[in-house]
Amino acid sequence: MNKLLIAVAILSLTGCAMFETPTPVKRNFPSVPTELMEACPDLKKTEPTEKLSEVLKVVVDNYGQYHECKIKVDTWVEWYKTQKDIFESVK
Amino acid sequence: MWMLSFVPDSILYLVVIGIMFSGISLYAFSFITRVLPPLLPYTGMIRILGTILTVVGIYFFGSYSTEMEWRAKVAELEAKVAVAEQKSTEANVKIQTVVKEKIKYVKETRVVIQEHIKTVEAKIDSICKVAPEAIDILNEAAATPGAKK
């Protein structure tokens, strides 16, 4: 009887969490800088002209547009890596 | 069971300890009934009741300990999440500042180059005339692939 009591008591000590199931910790998805949420516009097209300078202006605008988009893409990558590191630091 | 979360920890602890020690006391008391003749017929019942209360008390004690451990873990995790969210916000501010500066620089550079073109516009246009086919090819290349025309 006593041995049975000891055995049951030891098993009971493992105690199921019967009082309350722990609430999972809520984590919010990190917000993204608004600049990165803007879509890259289409490239500009050149109006029919014989002037090379007019063509050049459009090409320069498009190059600039490319550089802006490159910055956004590179920043997205950096944002992802940074936020991933921060997310994984919580264990 | 969730209602128990409204009961203060200290009271819950006292109840659990109370049940456990009542059981142990009853169980121990059941051995003394030999010297108390009026209680002799109830010895078995007292011992069974003591046993049940002891087991239930120990079970509750185990549950209480587990629960407290979980609550501590949740609190610890919540604190870590709060720190992480703060870091995330700070990182976003930093990223936002850098991206704004870079884009501003690109825009400024574009303006400078456009101004430069204006200064040499006449020279460029006097040397070279662009064939319409060149414009078509350029526009074809600039068109977004797969986009409707």
Side-chain angles (χ1 to χ4, degrees):
Chain A
M1 177 70 179
N2 283 343
K3 284 179 183 172
L4 182 68
L5 180 64
I6 291 166
V8 172
I10 289 169
L11 278 176
S12 301
L13 267 175
T14 58
C16 309
M18 61 169 290
F19 288 124
E20 186 193 13
T21 307
T23 316
V25 178
K26 192 187 166 196
R27 299 190 68 175
N28 296 318
F29 190 80
S31 60
V32 180
T34 47
E35 285 77 6
L36 300 185
M37 297 301 283
E38 293 166 4
C40 290
D42 291 336
L43 292 173
K44 283 185 182 174
K45 291 188 177 173
T46 317
E47 294 297 321
T49 178
E50 285 189 339
K51 291 181 175 177
L52 183 60
S53 61
E54 294 301 316
V55 178
L56 257 182
K57 284 173 190 171
V58 175
V59 170
V60 167
D61 272 345
N62 283 341
Y63 278 1
Q65 197 56 58
Y66 162 79
H67 287 302
E68 279 185 34
C69 284
K70 183 184 183 299
I71 289 166
K72 284 180 188 173
V73 172
D74 290 348
T75 311
W76 261 113
V77 173
E78 190 194 337
W79 179 87
Y80 174 76
K81 282 180 183 170
T82 309
Q83 297 297 342
K84 188 171 177 272
D85 286 346
I86 293 170
F87 183 87
E88 286 176 352
S89 70
V90 179
K91 282 176 186 171
Chain B
M1 288 302 165
W2 63 272
M3 285 174 74
L4 285 172
S5 61
F6 295 110
V7 180
D9 295 350
S10 54
I11 292 178
L12 210 57
Y13 182 76
L14 280 178
V15 170
V16 168
I17 292 291
I19 292 171
M20 200 165 66
F21 280 100
S22 302
I24 293 168
S25 304
L26 271 180
Y27 189 77
F29 183 69
S30 69
F31 290 100
I32 306 169
T33 51
R34 287 177 195 167
V35 290
L36 297 167
L39 290 175
L40 206 56
Y42 305 105
T43 304
M45 204 175 70
I46 291 170
R47 195 167 293 173
I48 289 169
L49 188 66
T51 307
I52 291 169
L53 279 177
T54 305
V55 170
V56 168
I58 290 174
Y59 180 80
F60 278 4
F61 187 74
S63 298
Y64 175 84
S65 304
T66 310
E67 177 63 22
M68 289 305 118
E69 203 175 304
W70 273 110
R71 284 188 193 181
K73 279 182 184 172
V74 168
E76 189 188 345
L77 200 59
E78 277 174 346
K80 282 183 181 175
V81 167
V83 171
E85 282 180 353
Q86 178 64 28
K87 276 185 187 173
S88 168
T89 310
E90 285 169 8
N92 267 359
V93 170
K94 197 177 166 187
I95 286 171
Q96 202 165 12
T97 311
V98 171
V99 79
K100 268 183 185 173
E101 280 174 11
K102 283 182 178 174
I103 289 176
K104 189 184 165 202
Y105 179 75
V106 167
K107 284 185 193 298
E108 284 171 357
T109 309
R110 201 190 310 176
V111 171
V112 170
I113 295 171
Q114 293 286 15
E115 290 300 317
H116 187 205
I117 291 172
K118 280 178 191 170
T119 59
V120 290
E121 204 171 0
K123 189 181 175 187
I124 293 170
D125 293 340
S126 65
I127 296 171
C128 182
K129 276 190 177 179
V130 181
E133 289 79 8
I135 304 287
D136 290 342
I137 290 167
L138 199 63
N139 285 342
E140 201 180 328
T144 306
K148 288 177 184 175
K149 287 183 181 177

